[in-house]
Amino acid sequence: MILTFVGTAGSGKTTITHTFGKYLEKEGYTVGYVNLDTGVKKLPYKPNIDVRETVTVEEIMKEGYGPNGAIVESYDRLMPHIERYITKILELERGKDYVLIDTPGQIETFLFHEFGVRLMENLPAPLVVYLFSPEVLRKPHDYCFVRFFALMIDLRLGSTTVPALNKVDLVDNLERHKQYLEDMEYLTSRLKLDSSTQGLLAYKLCTFLPEVSPPVRILYLSAKTGEGFDDLETIAYEHYCTCGDLT
């Protein structure tokens, strides 16, 4: 099984890769780790496959590039090696129960560069876990945004994408977040009261969301406490089981 963690910088991708991997190993599974972040300096896990063996952002910045330019350039330089990385990941997948892929801190690098798209297109049914943090959920239309962004990731990468609220150990009222994220009728009723342009747009989008969104359930995770790891394991199994779905 291949699980790919995506999310913005600070959403907890690397930490979840490490702690969920340890959880799986304690459950008796064999786990392979893949690092696709050319800019990371230290990792809490030991990667079986690491793109930094080919190129790093730090090396490119020594050539005079700025941080953002160096990140983009690093993936340009990885492109000639993509077939080799695809092959290595497939070999790792054949020898492990789980392969966990840790993507770049800057989500746009993975989503909008050909490297990320080509990679995902050539892997066997990878499950994408889109991590977002509770601090981005301040207003009703923020919940609409994260639900639609998960759908856009699915569309862009061509892989089943599961939205996951991470760092739930920092949340005071998790049930409130669950109600907004899971109950579309409740969310649209709240958005209908918002007369702003954002509110109107979110209302129209969320009214349409049930028609276009695949049947997936929201995950609630914490790398600190391990909360939700059993649900993540279950949903990964269901994804690879022909008799199951993600509802």
Side-chain angles (χ1 to χ4, degrees), residues 3 5 7-8 20 43 50 100 107 111 132 148 173 175 179 190 196 210 217 221 245:
L3 273 68
F5 296 103
T8 57
F20 184 59
L43 291 170
D50 193 343
L100 307 183
I107 189 173
L111 292 183
F132 56 95
F148 257 94
N173 190 349
E175 291 305 314
Q179 188 172 27
R190 301 300 297 172
S196 68
R217 61 179 180 270
L221 306 175
D245 61 34

Side-chain angles (χ1 to χ4, degrees), residues 60-79:
I60 295 176
M61 287 182 65
K62 292 177 181 178
E63 300 175 20
Y65 287 82
N68 292 331
I71 292 170
V72 175
E73 178 65 18
S74 69
Y75 290 93
D76 287 343
R77 297 186 189 186
L78 279 176
M79 276 306 300

Side-chain angles (χ1 to χ4, degrees), residues 41-58:
K41 292 187 177 181
K42 293 183 179 180
L43 291 170
Y45 58 88
K46 184 178 180 180
N48 301 86
I49 300 170
D50 193 343
V51 293
R52 296 177 301 174
E53 295 174 355
T54 301
V55 63
T56 69
V57 168
E58 188 175 12

Side-chain angles (χ1 to χ4, degrees), residues 215 217 235 238-239 241 243-247:
R217 61 179 180 270
I235 208 169
E238 291 173 354
H239 175 64
C241 176
C243 62
D245 61 34
L246 302 186
T247 57

Side-chain angles (χ1 to χ4, degrees), residues 109-144:
T109 306
F110 191 71
L111 292 183
F112 298 109
H113 196 284
E114 187 182 0
F115 181 86
V117 177
R118 281 270 302 277
L119 182 73
M120 298 301 291
E121 288 176 344
N122 286 278
L123 298 181
L127 178 66
V128 176
V129 181
Y130 162 50
L131 300 174
F132 56 95
S133 301
E135 58 262 24
V136 305
L137 303 174
R138 299 192 307 271
K139 299 178 181 179
H141 59 252
D142 294 327
Y143 297 88
C144 181

